[in-house]
């Protein structure tokens, strides 16, 4: 099993290196707004540029992530829109009008830019997505302490993009989550992009100096970076082990029932999303109709009907209508299976006192 570095250790390192009094750079142009992230001896470190002024989640996260790499470890962040200054920097994010990974230029605002993450994803990338596309494997591998070629690194690389990065790309590029012309039913300002945006200096703040602006940007980097690392940590410690359990259970489905439509989980974990993805990857046919697992509190067994898709409540094959809403002896008598506990009114889940009873319920339900 891989080891994951402590999230608290990672954030402590970032704050120790980054959250310190702002220091003036040697750049003379008055439009340049810069701060040092680490030792004041800047000649020994790389310099990463992004624009000054109002900031967004994508460049805050992009700057955080690129400093996790070997190439830009402890890099100085220079915030400016001066093209002559940008040309002198080792990497540039979200400004400059150029996307050229060979030169570490990661802007996405220029005309004709249509770069996407690939691997089946079609959302146009932001500066954060561009950094993740080119350096995400290295960052994930470091967090897992595995080689970049390890299959688990690639799995988490894709999973973190899907669950975390893609939304940041879409929001920054103004891509709606749903294809509809109807106005939203409610306002949601709780997302990471909104919270980073609120860290910009308030217009009523009398101090609008570059120093205060850069302090705010450092807080934005810390916020975005901490949630990125927390997402990686979750996938490493929870998501990936659960995926392995579901894969093993799915592979053993033929030992549970000859139909191959019943899956038993001897170790419970969040299984639903993994099941849909693994069925497609493993080309499972016929699809799983029922999943059996033990309730940790009551120690009885559950038989759950699999939904038609992750976002739907409708089951592929709900438990029989004649069982629904019944409990205990009445249910056992109706089904002819001893030890029954309940079946939900919708037929999406039921229970039995024993594994054998739950399996019998699933097998009977397949035939009804």
């Amino acid at each position: 099993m891989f080891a994951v570095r402590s999230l608290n250790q990672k954030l402590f390192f970032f704050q120790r290196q980054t959250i310190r009094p702002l220091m003036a750079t040697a750049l003379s142009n008055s439009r340049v707004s810069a701060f040092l992230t680490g030792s004041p001896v800047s000649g020994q470190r790389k310099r990463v540029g992004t624009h000054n002024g109002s900031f967004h989640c994508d460049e805050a996260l992009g700057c955080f992530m690129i400093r996790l790499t070997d190439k830009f470890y402890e890099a100085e962040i220079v915030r400016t829109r001066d093209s002559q200054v940008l040309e002198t920097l080792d990497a540039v994010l979200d400004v400059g009008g150029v996307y050229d990974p060979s030169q570490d230029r990661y802007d996405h605002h220029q005309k004709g830019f249509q770069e996407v993450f690939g691997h089946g994803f079609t959302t146009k990338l932001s500066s954060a997505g561009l950094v993740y596309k080119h350096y995400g494997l290295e960052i994930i591998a470091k967090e897992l302490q595995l080689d970049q070629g390890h299959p688990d690194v690639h799995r988490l690389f894709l999973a973190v993009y899907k669950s975390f990065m893609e939304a940041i790309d879409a929001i920054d590029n103004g891509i709606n989550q749903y294809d509809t012309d109807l106005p939203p039913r409610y306002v949601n300002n709780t997302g990471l992009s909104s919270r980073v945006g609120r860290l910009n200096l308030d217009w009523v703040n009398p101090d609008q100096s570059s120093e205060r602006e850069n302090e705010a940007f450092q807080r934005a980097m810390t916020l975005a970076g901490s949630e990125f690392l927390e997402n990686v940590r979750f996938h490493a410690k929870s998501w990936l082990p659960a995926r392995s359990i579901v894969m093993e259970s799915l592979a053993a489905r033929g030992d549970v029932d000859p139909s191959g439509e019943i899956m038993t989980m001897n170790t419970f974990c969040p299984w639903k999303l993994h099941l849909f993805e693994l069925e497609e990857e493993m080309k499972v046919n016929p699809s799983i109709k029922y999943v059996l697992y033990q309730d940790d509190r009551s120690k009885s067994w559950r038989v759950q009907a699999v939904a038609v898709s992750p976002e739907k409540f409708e089951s592929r094959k709900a438990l029989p209508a004649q069982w629904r809403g019944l409990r205990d002896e009445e249910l056992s008598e109706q089904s002819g299976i001893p030890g029954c506990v309940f079946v939900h009114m919708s037929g999406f889940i039921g229970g039995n006192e024993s594994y054998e009873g739950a399996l019998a319920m699933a097998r009977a339900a397949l035939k009804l």
Side-chain angles (χ1 to χ4, degrees):
M1 180 62 70
F2 49 77
V4 181
R5 278 180 264 178
S6 165
L7 173 64
N8 291 333
Q9 288 179 335
K10 201 74 176 179
L11 291 177
F12 173 76
F13 165 81
F14 178 75
Q15 291 166 348
R16 177 170 59 84
Q17 295 293 326
T18 307
I19 308 303
R20 56 174 61 216
L22 300 182
M23 306 176 68
T25 69
L27 301 174
S28 59
N29 192 300
S30 61
R31 289 179 292 168
V32 174
S33 166
F35 64 93
L36 300 183
T37 52
S39 164
V41 185
S42 60
Q44 298 177 355
R45 290 175 293 116
K46 301 283 188 176
R47 296 194 301 163
V48 174
T50 190
H51 61 81
N52 58 348
S54 296
F55 52 78
H56 300 98
C57 185
D58 70 316
E59 73 264 23
L61 178 58
C63 287
F64 182 94
M65 289 191 299
I66 204 167
R67 295 183 76 246
L68 298 177
T69 67
D70 289 338
K71 186 174 183 179
F72 295 102
Y73 181 73
E74 293 188 345
E76 173 188 346
I77 303 298
V78 179
R79 302 185 68 233
T80 180
R81 293 184 183 275
D82 189 296
S83 59
Q84 292 182 344
V85 175
L86 293 174
E87 290 177 0
T88 69
L89 304 180
D90 300 291
V92 176
L93 282 61
D94 209 46
V95 69
V98 176
Y99 167 53
D100 183 357
S102 68
Q103 300 296 319
D104 283 304
R105 264 47 185 172
Y106 302 110
D107 197 11
H108 66 111
H109 297 99
Q110 58 272 25
K111 183 178 180 180
F113 178 88
Q114 295 294 331
E115 188 73 11
V116 299
F117 185 64
H119 308 285
F121 296 95
T122 59
T123 300
K124 187 166 74 169
L125 297 179
S126 67
S127 61
L130 288 171
V131 171
Y132 188 78
K133 177 172 183 173
H134 294 285
Y135 289 103
L137 281 172
E138 178 188 345
I139 293 169
I140 297 294
K142 283 184 175 181
E143 289 300 310
L144 300 188
Q145 297 185 11
L146 294 172
D147 294 332
Q148 288 190 37
H150 195 286
D152 287 347
V153 172
H154 184 71
R155 290 190 186 102
L156 262 65
F157 178 59
L158 299 182
V160 169
Y161 184 79
K162 181 177 182 179
S163 68
F164 186 82
M165 295 298 306
E166 186 174 22
I168 293 170
D169 288 336
I171 291 170
D172 195 78
N173 283 302
I175 300 172
N176 290 327
Q177 189 173 11
Y178 301 102
D179 292 328
T180 176
D181 294 329
L182 297 175
R185 294 185 178 181
Y186 56 87
V187 174
N188 182 6
N189 289 319
T190 63
L192 178 60
S193 295
S194 296
R195 286 182 283 122
V196 166
R198 287 197 293 272
L199 292 177
N200 279 283
L201 297 181
D202 196 298
W203 68 275
V204 299
N205 191 326
D207 187 353
Q208 298 285 323
S209 66
S210 297
E211 289 76 15
R212 298 289 82 77
E213 182 183 286
N214 288 334
E215 288 176 349
F217 186 71
Q218 290 184 69
R219 290 193 293 272
M221 289 172 64
T222 301
L223 173 60
S226 65
E227 295 208 11
F228 168 75
L229 290 176
E230 179 62 27
N231 189 273
V232 173
R233 184 205 63 81
F234 163 77
H235 279 84
K237 288 191 172 182
S238 178
W239 182 90
L240 191 59
R243 187 182 190 277
S244 297
I245 291 171
V246 176
M247 181 182 291
E248 292 172 2
S249 300
L250 194 56
R253 67 192 183 280
D255 298 332
V256 176
D257 187 76
S259 68
E261 297 178 77
I262 303 172
M263 185 178 82
T264 296
M265 297 190 60
N266 293 313
T267 301
F268 180 79
C269 67
W271 55 267
K272 295 178 183 177
L273 181 59
H274 292 293
L275 177 60
F276 291 103
E277 293 180 347
L278 287 169
E279 280 183 325
E280 184 175 351
E281 288 180 23
M282 299 169 66
K283 296 180 171 53
V284 173
N285 188 30
S287 61
I288 299 295
K289 304 304 186 299
Y290 302 108
V291 175
L292 310 182
Y293 57 89
Q294 190 172 33
D295 187 308
D296 288 337
R297 290 170 295 180
S298 67
K299 301 305 179 183
S300 62
W301 279 79
R302 297 286 184 260
V303 50
Q304 184 164 343
V306 178
V308 294
S309 64
E311 68 279 359
K312 301 289 186 180
F313 292 108
E314 180 186 356
S315 299
R316 289 172 173 173
K317 187 171 178 58
L319 293 170
Q322 57 267 37
W323 297 359
R324 299 174 197 173
L326 302 182
R327 298 189 61 88
D328 305 323
E329 290 299 324
E330 185 179 8
L331 177 57
S332 293
E333 182 177 346
Q334 173 66 37
S335 65
I337 301 169
C340 290
V341 178
F342 77 99
V343 169
H344 192 272
M345 283 293 296
S346 68
F348 90 97
I349 195 169
N352 195 283
E353 294 174 355
S354 68
Y355 169 73
E356 291 76 15
L359 180 56
M361 291 175 70
R363 285 173 171 170
L366 283 176
K367 300 175 182 177
L368 292 174

